[in-house]
Amino acid sequence: MLRSRGLRLTAQRQLVLQAVLDLGHATPEQVHTAVREVAAGVNITTIYRTLELLERLGLVTHTHLSHGSPTYHAAGEHQHIHLVCRECGAVDEIDPELMRPLADQLATGRGFRVDIGHVALFGVCHNCEDGEST
């Protein structure tokens, strides 16, 4: 895809994309940590620029799972709703069809189309609720 748009497939771009694929859901800082294990000279600015490029190309997408940095994941994955635990920070996924009735109601009643791939619901996971998390 990069070459078809006149861009080079650099080692850094390949490392960033691989880190996103390997990590599943990752902030730029987490991607940076993973990339630096292989290529110590890659700086955080390069990570941010590469993630932005990969998102423009449709290879990754992001959502905001906290007040901090966006979280990236592969764009080829099925859309999903993120469940984020406020206690331990765990991220789980659920089928977006669970939100379909609300999305349809918003589309009909408000003319508002929900981007389900960016939906994050915050709460407490079952492990933290049961006191199993530390």
Side-chain angles (χ1 to χ4, degrees), residues 22-101:
D22 291 346
L23 295 169
H25 292 92
T27 65
E29 292 78 12
Q30 292 168 323
V31 171
H32 184 233
T33 298
V35 168
R36 285 183 54 114
E37 290 178 7
V38 178
V42 178
N43 64 42
I44 191 70
T45 302
T46 300
I47 300 297
Y48 274 97
R49 287 182 183 153
T50 303
L51 287 169
E52 288 172 6
L53 171 67
L54 294 173
E55 187 163 27
R56 281 195 311 271
L57 294 172
L59 297 173
V60 301
T61 188
H62 80 276
T63 192
H64 294 274
L65 301 181
S66 69
H67 294 293
S69 299
T71 300
Y72 289 84
H73 55 89
E77 294 179 355
H78 64 284
Q79 281 201 327
H80 50 269
I81 296 169
H82 300 91
L83 301 178
V84 183
C85 179
R86 288 190 189 276
E87 297 290 325
C88 69
V91 178
D92 199 358
E93 302 171 1
I94 59 171
D95 188 331
E97 288 305 309
L98 292 171
M99 192 164 186
R100 182 65 47 213

